[in-house]
Amino acid sequence: MSIFIDKTICNGCKGLPEARCERICPGNLCYRNKNMKAEIRDQSACWTCACCVKECPVQAIELRLPFQICSNSASLKARLTKDKTIWSIWNSQGEKEEFIIKARN
Amino acid sequence: MDIKYIETDILIIGGGAAGCFAALQVYKKSPRCKVVVMEKAHIERSGCLAMGLNAINAYIHPEQTPESYVDFVDREFEGVIRKDLVLTIAKRLNEVVKEVEALGLPIEKNDDGTYKKRGSRSVRIFGERLKPILAEAVMKTTAKVLNRVVATNFIYDGKKVCGAFGYGVRDNCLYVIRAKAVIVSTGGASGIYKPINTGGARHLMWYCPWNAGTGYAMGIRIGAEMTSFENRFIPLRVKDVNAPTGTIAVGVYSKQVNALGEDYLGCHYQHLGGRKCLTQYRLFATLEEMKACRGPCYLDTTNLNDEEEKQLKEDYLNMNPQIVLLWASNGMGPRKKPVEIRGTEPYVVGGHCQAGYWVDTERRTTIPGLYAAGESAGGAPKKYVSGCWVEGAIAASTALNDIDDTSTTDIDGAIIEKEKSRLSGILNRTIGITPLDARERLQKIMDEYAGGISFNYMLHENRLLEARQLLQCLHKHTNEVMAVDNYNLVEALECIDRIDVARTLVEHLMYRKETRWACYQTRWDYPQKDDEHWLKYVNSVYDIETNEIKMIERPLQ
Ligand SMILES: Cc1cc2nc3c(=O)[nH]c(=O)nc-3n(C[C@H](O)[C@H](O)[C@H](O)COP(=O)(O)OP(=O)(O)OC[C@H]3O[C@@H](n4cnc5c(N)ncnc54)[C@H](O)[C@@H]3O)c2cc1C
Ligand code: SF4
Ligand code: SF4
């Protein structure tokens, strides 16, 4: 798995012609299903670029590494403000690390 | 499939680093010029810059000059580069970096306001938002951006390029775009070789998996001259997650060590330059260490302090969040365990190496009406992101000048029908070859017979002849490729394009009968560098009539 979409958090970007994750994915992998929830078309086609993770306004998407790469799980989420990117990373023990990095002048 | 007709002055194919810059340049010079940007993804996050960058790798610091930059690139590439092209890039690197800073990109600075050095020729940036910053600037111009439209072929009347066809992934339309000038900037090609990560992790690769070499393939198909495909790029990267190693090696000065803890470049490879060796020898030495049973190899990060470890993680979040995730998964930071490195699969790129269109210093290709910039343009390695910006600007200025007295050309309806039936044919077919099968076949052939990872990148005429023949056979089957939906159609088109790129690549690999660039182009049958015969460019032109690739030698310039 490369991204995990928490359907209980995803609000389907209601009102938008295209979901934000769908609009942004450089590989055209995200889409909205009939229940207005985000899905990924093909996990194996994911670049793990985190673009959808950053774009989701309610942080419904987590970045994970494919099992082939690592058998322990960890996850990463991101939130964008106008000039900063805020990253939260949970390691396999569930401990959280946070980074706040400037992103534009 | 409906058809949408658009007419414009300049069509830019690929809104990445080079394409965005080209659009900005046209607007700056001639705001009334009509520009269309055709982009496969969404320009806000597309191509190599989608994840962001943490450094600009081509910059002229005060003690350097454009000429010294050219000399550096020439040394790195063993005397075969287009110095004329590299010089045009080097002269404008600092100017374009300033422009992007003005658009909002944070760059690390000294107290006196100059950019802080990160290695001899690069600057550290906080570039997570680099692509959205560029895209925003483009959206403020009058350029019409067509997102989710995938270029499929040039519109070519036998003499000049008159526009391009695009497939609208969202609206399932064929876009017929007529233009006075076309700039191709679709990046390089990944996915030609079997990747190091396969199956469920097959796209966890260094290069952008959707830069499928389409720009090259479209040019090959109309007989544009291509150069130096044999100068493949094989990056030395963090194992599994493919994060660039420069962030560690240049950013925090870590050494390359083997499993015995030896600084192996210093201990065993002094004859190649030791720790100051050329980039390709870092990879070569790492492979040699494996053969000598002294692997795995690492970047020694265990002596970093707290602050350096934090900076390293931040730098990677700005460019390759996967590695930070890997550290978290293993419950390890770089201080606990050195970072394992290895070579990836080979790529065909014009940004780190020099595969691409043969262009003049104004970035005209050999086909009238067609210009190339960025990774698509050949002959100028180590251009990196800033060099791509420069090339975008140069190509745009040239295109603007050249279109002064031209008008768009009428297009023969038969050409349009042909492209439409090619695309709908793939969609309508119910039995045939899936993109997955075609891709895996291609990658297997290239891996096994054209110097992939399974063969330590080694090349040999006997194997390349086999590759040539197998690719010819695969090529014959491309008209049986089928797709079940719009998304799948794009995958199918990517496969077809990659096969065209691979065929040209194999001819180039076969033609250069020497070993010029370690690992990138190492021949078992011609293991020596041969300056007497091969200080020249190897170029190629595909002959549409005979379906053969004609090789051309050109003297150094
Ligand atoms: C992971 C990674 C890290 C890098 N790190 C650095 C760094 O730290 N510093 C540095 O200086 N350089 C770095 N580089 C190199 C630099 O990013 C590239 O050289 C540069 O972005 C290439 O610019 P380009 O415009 O040629 O290609 P891209 O920026 O990739 O743009 C190509 C565009 O064409 C579009 N496209 C592709 N096919 C089609 C089609 N058929 N139709 C329409 N559009 C299409 C793509 O979607 C994309 O938008 C890195 C590259 C990668 C991959
Ligand atoms: S991580 Fe990147 S490639 Fe994967 S689904 Fe999200 S946006 Fe697409
Ligand atoms: S962006 Fe977030 S909320 Fe919107 S559809 Fe995607 S996952 Fe759901």
Side-chain angles (χ1 to χ4, degrees):
Chain A
M1 184 183 288
S2 297
I3 59 162
F4 170 75
I5 303 166
D6 188 335
K7 302 251 166 53
T8 62
I9 303 178
C10 167
N11 63 23
C13 288
K14 285 199 190 73
L16 292 180
E18 207 178 20
R20 292 179 182 88
C21 51
E22 179 178 18
R23 173 177 167 276
I24 211 71
C25 173
N28 190 21
L29 299 174
C30 302
Y31 68 98
R32 262 185 314 210
N33 66 17
K34 282 192 230 78
N35 306 324
M36 291 292 275
K37 296 286 177 187
E39 300 267 9
I40 174 164
R41 230 181 277 282
D42 177 357
Q43 285 279 4
S44 78
C46 175
W47 193 21
T48 52
C49 67
C51 293
C52 57
V53 173
K54 294 171 193 172
E55 198 66 12
C56 176
V58 291
Q59 283 76 50
I61 312 181
E62 281 174 22
L63 195 70
R64 297 185 179 178
L65 288 174
F67 195 75
Q68 180 188 117
I69 302 299
C70 188
S71 34
N72 296 330
S73 63
S75 73
L76 175 150
K77 285 190 180 189
R79 189 157 63 81
L80 306 187
T81 68
K82 192 168 170 294
D83 58 356
K84 289 191 182 60
T85 307
I86 301 159
W87 300 86
S88 306
I89 299 148
W90 289 265
N91 70 14
S92 40
Q93 270 80 53
E95 294 155 350
K96 182 179 167 186
E97 210 176 352
E98 197 173 68
F99 294 89
I100 303 173
I101 309 176
K102 70 175 156 197
R104 62 189 301 165
N105 287 329
Chain B
M1 194 177 289
D2 290 336
I3 301 182
K4 284 190 175 160
Y5 295 93
I6 296 175
E7 195 173 324
T8 183
D9 293 326
I10 298 181
L11 168 64
I12 299 169
I13 308 182
C20 283
F21 231 77
L24 294 176
Q25 181 75 8
V26 176
Y27 186 67
K28 202 159 86 180
K29 292 214 149 178
S30 175
R32 293 177 49 193
C33 177
K34 282 191 285 177
V35 175
V36 169
V37 179
M38 187 198 284
E39 168 54 50
K40 177 178 191 170
H42 190 292
I43 64 162
E44 223 172 281
R45 294 276 188 188
S46 63
C48 295
L49 303 183
M51 291 190 239
L53 293 189
N54 62 28
I56 290 174
N57 286 338
Y59 186 79
I60 313 286
H61 283 294
E63 69 278 17
Q64 313 247 338
T65 62
E67 289 74 19
S68 70
Y69 194 83
V70 176
D71 290 342
F72 155 72
V73 180
D74 193 45
R75 267 196 315 279
E76 279 272 325
F77 282 84
E78 314 270 9
V80 178
I81 59 160
R82 283 280 302 276
K83 287 189 187 183
D84 55 342
L85 298 180
V86 180
L87 186 63
T88 57
I89 289 174
K91 281 184 171 162
R92 289 177 67 177
L93 285 173
N94 293 18
E95 173 193 325
V96 291
V97 172
K98 258 238 120 39
E99 272 179 63
V100 178
E101 184 186 23
L103 296 177
L105 174 72
I107 303 183
E108 191 174 46
K109 287 190 175 159
N110 297 308
D111 293 339
D112 65 0
T114 54
Y115 298 144
K116 204 163 180 169
K117 269 178 77 173
R118 170 202 177 272
S120 314
R121 291 162 207 88
S122 80
V123 291
R124 179 168 176 241
I125 61 172
F126 300 88
E128 186 277 308
R129 219 71 67 81
L130 178 55
K131 195 74 218 290
I133 289 171
L134 286 172
E136 199 180 287
V138 173
M139 314 279 217
K140 282 187 190 146
T141 72
T142 47
K144 182 180 171 72
V145 178
L146 302 174
N147 291 310
R148 304 285 173 200
V149 179
V150 182
T152 60
N153 263 317
F154 291 123
I155 303 174
Y156 178 60
D157 67 1
K159 289 191 213 68
K160 64 175 194 304
V161 165
C162 326
F165 294 111
Y167 172 66
V169 191
R170 292 280 187 266
D171 57 12
N172 191 34
C173 284
L174 175 68
Y175 284 73
V176 179
I177 306 187
R178 284 197 298 162
K180 296 175 184 169
V182 176
I183 299 174
V184 57
S185 49
T186 52
S190 62
I192 305 285
Y193 285 84
K194 188 180 114 200
I196 39 172
N197 295 324
T198 51
R202 71 184 166 93
H203 270 183
L204 190 45
M205 57 175 63
W206 169 72
Y207 203 65
C208 173
W210 302 288
N211 283 2
T214 302
Y216 300 145
M218 294 194 306
I220 290 169
R221 292 197 284 261
I222 60 167
E225 186 167 331
M226 296 287 157
T227 190
S228 306
F229 271 41
E230 75 279 12
N231 187 184
R232 304 177 298 173
F233 182 50
I234 304 165
L236 182 65
R237 291 290 178 260
V238 175
K239 183 173 174 292
D240 296 341
V241 287
N242 302 309
T245 47
T247 306
I248 300 175
V250 185
V252 291
Y253 309 108
S254 294
K255 288 189 206 128
Q256 284 179 225
V257 296
N258 61 22
L260 312 177
E262 293 170 324
D263 160 12
Y264 57 92
L265 290 172
C267 292
H268 303 293
Y269 302 95
Q270 278 305 340
H271 59 293
L272 300 176
R275 292 186 66 191
K276 291 212 155 67
C277 67
L278 305 180
T279 310
Q280 57 266 37
Y281 286 120
R282 294 176 172 278
L283 169 66
F284 175 80
T286 306
L287 281 177
E288 291 299 299
E289 287 302 285
M290 306 286 182
K291 287 186 208 158
C293 297
R294 292 193 296 260
C297 294
Y298 304 92
L299 279 167
D300 187 7
T301 45
T302 51
N303 50 7
L304 300 184
N305 62 32
D306 259 351
E307 189 48 38
E308 286 167 329
E309 181 176 76
K310 180 159 177 274
Q311 175 179 325
L312 195 59
K313 288 186 179 172
E314 289 184 355
D315 275 351
Y316 273 129
L317 288 170
N318 283 335
M319 178 167 72
N320 266 83
Q322 303 97 320
I323 183 174
V324 185
L325 200 50
L326 183 68
W327 283 326
S329 313
N330 293 332
M332 305 256 188
R335 286 203 295 163
K336 285 206 191 125
K337 193 170 187 282
V339 174
E340 189 177 341
I341 51 178
R342 67 166 290 183
T344 70
E345 69 275 17
Y347 300 103
V348 181
V349 296
H352 284 68
C353 285
Q354 51 183 328
Y357 282 84
W358 179 253
V359 290
D360 67 11
T361 50
E362 314 286 308
R363 274 39 175 200
R364 291 183 192 90
T365 69
T366 53
I367 309 282
L370 182 62
Y371 307 78
E375 304 258 3
S376 299
K382 292 208 175 280
K383 64 178 82 146
Y384 300 114
V385 68
S386 37
C388 292
W389 291 333
V390 174
E391 286 202 318
I394 297 176
S397 302
T398 310
L400 259 178
N401 287 337
D402 288 358
I403 60 172
D404 254 3
D405 47 2
T406 52
S407 51
T408 50
T409 314
D410 286 332
I411 300 165
D412 181 358
I415 304 184
I416 300 174
E417 266 320 302
K418 196 172 156 210
E419 188 65 354
K420 186 179 158 185
S421 66
R422 180 173 86 102
L423 303 189
S424 39
I426 299 174
L427 271 178
N428 294 340
R429 223 161 267 143
T430 47
I431 37 172
I433 302 163
T434 65
L436 174 86
D437 282 341
R439 185 182 64 233
E440 290 189 339
R441 181 74 191 123
L442 169 69
Q443 293 179 344
K444 183 175 166 64
I445 296 170
M446 295 304 287
D447 182 54
E448 293 174 354
Y449 295 108
I453 16 169
S454 303
F455 282 78
N456 277 338
Y457 313 120
M458 297 292 280
L459 304 159
H460 190 288
E461 177 131 341
N462 298 344
R463 308 196 76 83
L464 289 165
L465 284 168
E466 191 70 26
R468 172 196 276 168
Q469 202 218 324
L470 294 174
L471 287 177
Q472 257 165 15
C473 173
L474 178 58
H475 185 253
K476 282 200 199 105
H477 289 290
T478 48
N479 55 9
E480 294 161 36
V481 176
M482 57 175 254
V484 294
D485 57 21
N486 303 8
Y487 168 80
N488 205 213
L489 173 57
V490 176
E491 288 189 300
L493 293 168
E494 288 170 351
C495 282
I496 295 169
D497 295 341
R498 285 183 170 119
I499 292 168
D500 284 333
V501 173
R503 287 182 72 200
T504 292
L505 170 60
V506 164
E507 295 307 316
H508 277 252
L509 291 171
M510 190 131 50
Y511 197 80
R512 188 177 277 282
K513 294 188 172 37
E514 62 152 355
T515 291
R516 173 98 1 212
W517 302 286
C519 301
Y520 303 166
Q521 186 262 339
T522 298
R523 297 275 308 238
W524 254 314
D525 41 356
Y526 301 95
Q528 301 302 326
K529 183 158 85 176
D530 176 1
D531 279 347
E532 197 187 327
H533 299 101
W534 291 102
L535 272 176
K536 58 177 109 168
Y537 312 110
V538 171
N539 288 6
S540 64
V541 169
Y542 172 71
D543 186 327
I544 307 157
E545 302 298 322
T546 61
N547 185 24
E548 269 167 25
I549 298 160
K550 195 172 94 223
M551 302 310 291
I552 303 166
E553 292 178 13
R554 293 207 179 259
L556 287 192
Q557 39 182 257

